[in-house]
Every structure is written in C-alpha cells, then in structure tokens.
Amino acid sequence: MRHTLLAAVAAAALIVPPAAAQRAASTPATNRIIDQGMNHSEVMPIAQHLTDVIGPRLTNSPQARAAEAWTQARFAEWGLKVHKEPVPFGRGWWIERSSVRMVTPRPIQLTAIPVAWTPATNGTLTAPVVVAPMSKEADFAKWRGKLAGKIVMVTRPDSGSEPREAPFQRLSDADLAKEDGYRQPTYDPGALDRRMKRALFPAKLDAFLKAEGAVAQATMSYRDGKLLHGEGYLFGKDETPALPAVQIAAEDYRRLARLAKTGPAPTLEIVSDVRFDDSDMNAYNVIAEIPGTDAKAGYVMAGAHLDSWVAGDGAADNAAGSAMVMEAARILARTGIRPKRTIRFALWTGEEQGLLGSLAYTERHLATRGGVTATGTGRGDEKYYGFPTRFPITPQPGWGELAAYFNIDNGAGKLRGIYAEGNPAVVPIFQEWMAPFRAMGMTEVSMMSTGGTDHVFMQSVGVPGFQFIQDPLDYETRIHHSSIDTFDHLKAEDMRQASTILASFLLNAANAEQPLPRGPLPTQPVVSDPYAYPKDDD
C-alpha cells in the first residue's frame, strides 16, 4: 500500500514556509558553495584520474593501494586532516593479462575475463567444454563422472534478451513521484539461511569440479551486448578457488553451447595470467575531515566506496561517488567556511564484497550487534546478511557523535532528491535544505528506505544515514559492474550539480542547531529487511 497514514503525514510535511526556503536560498555560504562547485569544479579531473590513470580498484589490489595513496594526498593538499583505518580482509588479486579463444571447430577470439580471485592457468590451458548447468548442490549428481579434463560451462544458456525500454533514462516528475511512499516492513526469519545457502554455493561448486577432475569453469555474463562483469566472492586467505574460472560474454557463451549441442564439443584455449598479493591482508578506509569549531557538537559525514570490480574502470560504480565526495570536501575547504560540527569524508573499502569497510567503521565507532563481528578475513556473506538481524545492539562511545551520514552510490546521475529512509521527522528539514537547488532538479524527499550500500549498517544501529535519489542514466541497464563502466559514461554537468548539493547538505547538517532526528534504537528483531529478495528468488 503506497498511501498510508504515515505517508500522508510525510506529504503534509513537504510544505515549506516560503520564508524558511528564502533564508536557505539567500545564505552567503550557499552562494559561495554554488560558485565554487559550479564555476570552479574539479570533480571530473578527480574522476578521470581514478579511472583512466589508476583504473579498476578491486579491494586489496595494487590499484586499490594506489587509489588509497592518491586520495589521501589530495585531501591533504586541500588542507584536510586525513588518515586511513584498517579493515581485515584477505588476499589481493589482479589481472596481468588474459585471453580466451575457441580453437575448434574454428578459431575465434572470445570476449571473456578471469573471475576475480580465481587462480591462474599457469600458461595456456587447452581443453574441450561441457555444458553442465549447476545452480544448487542437487545438480551435482547428474554430472558425476562426466567432467574430467573438461572446461565446465556451469551457467544454463538462455535465448537472449531484447530491451523493452530505452537504456538511458532521466527521471520525470511522474517518476520522482513514484519514488515516494511508505513500505510496510516485512520480516522473514528464514531469509538469512536461504541467502547463506546461495552465497556458499560457489565454493561447493568449485570443490565438486576439482574432485571430478575438471580443469576450469566458465560462466555466462548476465547482460547481452558483449558486456563482461567478472565478479568473484571467494577472497579470503584460505578460500582461494581450486580451479581457474572465466566469465564469457553471453553471445559467445551461447555460441559455444549451441556448438556443443549439435556437434563435437568446442575446444577452448585459456590464458589467465592473474596475480595474488598476500603482503597486507588489511584493506583500508580513507578518512578525511574539516574540523569543527565546537568539539562537543559531534560530526557529520559523507561517504562513497572507492573499491570496484575489474571488468571496467569502476567509473560510475563508484569513482563517480568517490569523486563527488572528494569534490564536496574540496568545495568546503576552498570556501574557508568553518562549520560548527566536524565534517568527515569517508572513502570505503570492500563495499563490493559485503559493505565491509562501512561495517568495520560502524563497529569501531558506532555500535556492535551480538553474534557477528567484522573482524577476521574471509567471506563477507554472514557479516553482510547477518549483521542487521543480531541483538543486542551495544552503542560505542561515539554512537551519539555522528549527527548525519550521506551516501553516494547510485551512479553518475545528478541528484533529484533524497531518501528519508523511513524517518518522517527529517522530511521538512530536507525540503528546506533543497530549496536553493530546485532549479537544478533537486526536488523530491522520499519516505522510502534503500539498501545495498554503505549507509545500511549505520541505519541498522539507529544512526541517521541517507542515500540520494539520482537520475539513473544507463547505470543499471548497461554500466553497473560491466566492462563499459568507464569515464566516457560520466556526465560532467550531473557530477558538478551533485557535488555542490552534497557540500551544501553537509554544511547545513554541520551548522544545524540540533542534530538530525533519529529513530528509536532497535531493541528486537528488525522487521524491515534492506536485503530482501523477491519471494520467488528465495
């Protein structure tokens, strides 16, 4: 039900007294922020360095280390206090070079990529394929004794997809209106067990294939258009897969499957020259801040994840968000404004493996939850899925110091509004803060909650964390985690607008007389699950 009493109350709160909006629009600080952010922007050079120069920033890879060093240097150059905080993680990994070719029945260079954290082929691996779709342990019995010496194609090939809507979108007024509403919380106590079963399946599949004598596995990319993704989640020190694995573009994968069905199985030639680095098992969050004038007033914070996957350069996901956070810091530093509260900026690590950086920060500075910790290397699944379900919540001494957190992780589109994350008390406040930016397209405050990124663990321990509504562009339809996530797809006008608005929101939160309103601290199993999957997927 979209129109509930709570939604109606929130809608009523959207009416901002004109005088209040005028005061927000006419503050000299806002004018200086807009001038710095729109007329003297550096957001695109920041994003270009993170993507074109450094490239994909897989957690604990050499490129991630380069990004940690470079971002710290830039923050320091702008006059911010900066440090990094360790996050226990696991092995580093990167691709030196790779190639996948079909050599029979005819030679074809295939579009493919090694799956992250899988081992090298140690030279050229040549073997026939077998199409053996497996998505659950019950599938293993069908393929016992049939996989020795084979490259196993474990994804069930489909017939392709035809897009029904344009892949590039900007939100209309009607689209923005649909973003608002109150969702009835739901609670499914069995969901964690089902998700963990799915999350642990890749390790069981790898062990089964190794025991059966397979030499490698291949998966199909989940988008058409010769796009690659290459995500991998076995990243712990003791959890490196036994077999090399590659992801093959959907069109090439289907061709291989057709050939295997109608004639002799094709033979592939795989070269996967990948490297591991065990020199430092910690990943690192980069933390910078502009000190406030009132040490007892606490701090406000903005964050984005610096890590990415490896198929593209991690541009929209999430060099864009990182660049916007850094640009907001630069804008505020350049204005010379001294906020009442400290303004802190975080570039998170390990987001793609389970929000591990923001989870470690939450436990170190904000609160712990019974039964699970962010310490130790290995898989992030139980931490990611289990943390919001554990009790009791034990606030850390710094729990009350964080007055507001704003997250950027929905691509490179301009900001069109903000999610109130089910907190009706912040709606009129955000409406007033948005007033100077309505002409730039920032108009909507939505009561909805969002999940899947670095504000959710803060929300789960009662800290006010928020995510912005952004124009989708082609983030979900083509770019997300794919091989075309490159600088070309970032929009300078959008990123200037977003950086400017983020800087303004941070300053408003830092100088507000009172911290943003908080919801009650959860004291029993949560009924709202930010990681819920549709029932037919469970």
Side-chain angles (χ1 to χ4, degrees), residues 96-447:
E96 182 70 23
R97 65 188 182 99
S98 66
S99 172
V100 179
R101 298 177 64 241
M102 184 177 80
V103 293
T104 67
R106 60 187 176 94
I108 305 176
Q109 185 70 40
L110 304 180
T111 301
I113 189 173
V115 174
W117 282 289
T118 57
T121 55
N122 296 320
T124 301
L125 186 159
T126 304
V129 303
V130 59
V131 182
M134 287 175 274
S135 59
K136 55 186 180 300
E137 288 184 73
D139 296 330
F140 293 169
K142 180 179 179 181
W143 299 106
R144 282 195 173 92
K146 303 176 182 179
L147 306 179
K150 305 293 180 60
I151 298 168
V152 184
M153 298 171 59
V154 299
T155 305
R156 184 178 301 279
D158 59 22
S159 59
S161 63
E162 298 297 334
R164 298 180 180 178
E165 298 177 352
F168 188 95
Q169 181 191 11
R170 291 197 180 275
L171 296 174
S172 66
D173 290 343
D175 293 327
L176 286 169
K178 294 176 184 177
E179 290 291 323
D180 198 11
Y182 178 75
R183 291 176 179 170
Q184 177 64 44
T186 59
Y187 178 53
D188 183 358
L192 176 59
D193 289 339
R194 294 193 297 273
R195 292 174 198 146
M196 285 302 300
K197 183 179 291 187
R198 285 196 300 272
L200 295 173
F201 177 74
K204 295 180 178 179
L205 175 61
D206 175 69
F208 171 74
L209 296 177
K210 176 65 173 178
E212 290 295 307
V215 296
Q217 67 165 295
T219 63
M220 184 178 76
S221 179
Y222 51 83
R223 286 190 182 92
D224 290 343
K226 288 297 185 82
L227 298 180
L228 296 171
H229 304 85
E231 299 101 324
Y233 291 89
L234 297 177
F235 53 86
K237 178 179 179 182
D238 301 319
E239 295 178 330
T240 302
L243 296 184
V246 293
Q247 186 188 79
I248 300 174
E251 294 84 354
D252 288 343
Y253 189 97
R254 295 186 195 109
R255 181 200 290 121
L256 293 172
R258 291 192 300 269
L259 289 169
K261 187 173 183 178
T262 60
T267 300
L268 298 189
E269 179 184 273
I270 301 176
V271 176
S272 180
D273 183 3
V274 297
R275 312 290 174 87
F276 288 94
D277 183 357
D278 297 333
S279 61
D280 188 349
M281 294 293 183
N282 285 323
Y284 293 92
N285 293 326
V286 175
I287 309 292
E289 60 183 41
I290 298 173
T293 59
D294 184 351
K296 296 181 179 179
Y299 66 100
V300 300
M301 193 174 194
H305 69 89
L306 189 58
D307 64 297
S308 75
W309 290 111
V310 294
D313 289 335
D317 189 24
N318 191 27
S322 296
M324 293 175 198
V325 167
M326 293 179 71
E327 172 68 355
R330 188 201 65 82
I331 290 169
L332 291 171
R334 287 288 185 265
T335 63
I337 298 166
R338 291 295 308 278
K340 180 174 75 172
R341 294 179 181 85
T342 292
I343 303 178
R344 188 171 292 178
F345 304 87
L347 301 178
W348 305 116
T349 189
E351 191 272 352
E352 298 292 1
Q353 291 77 46
L355 316 186
L356 298 181
S358 55
L359 173 55
Y361 184 92
T362 297
E363 289 203 312
R364 183 176 291 123
H365 298 282
L366 304 176
T368 59
R369 300 188 71 137
V372 62
T373 70
T375 59
T377 58
R379 298 176 60 82
D381 306 297
E382 207 279 337
K383 303 166 192 174
Y384 176 75
Y385 293 125
F387 186 83
T389 70
R390 307 302 189 194
F391 287 88
I393 297 174
T394 305
Q396 300 279 38
W399 181 83
E401 296 176 6
L402 180 51
Y405 172 77
F406 300 99
N407 197 71
I408 298 278
D409 186 20
N410 280 327
K414 66 172 57 177
L415 303 191
R416 304 301 306 281
I418 189 168
Y419 295 102
E421 302 290 341
N423 184 346
V426 302
V427 172
I429 299 170
F430 287 163
Q431 284 287 358
E432 182 173 344
W433 293 358
M434 287 194 314
F437 304 102
R438 290 185 176 277
M440 297 183 187
M442 179 78 167
T443 62
E444 183 71 26
V445 178
S446 169
M447 274 292 293

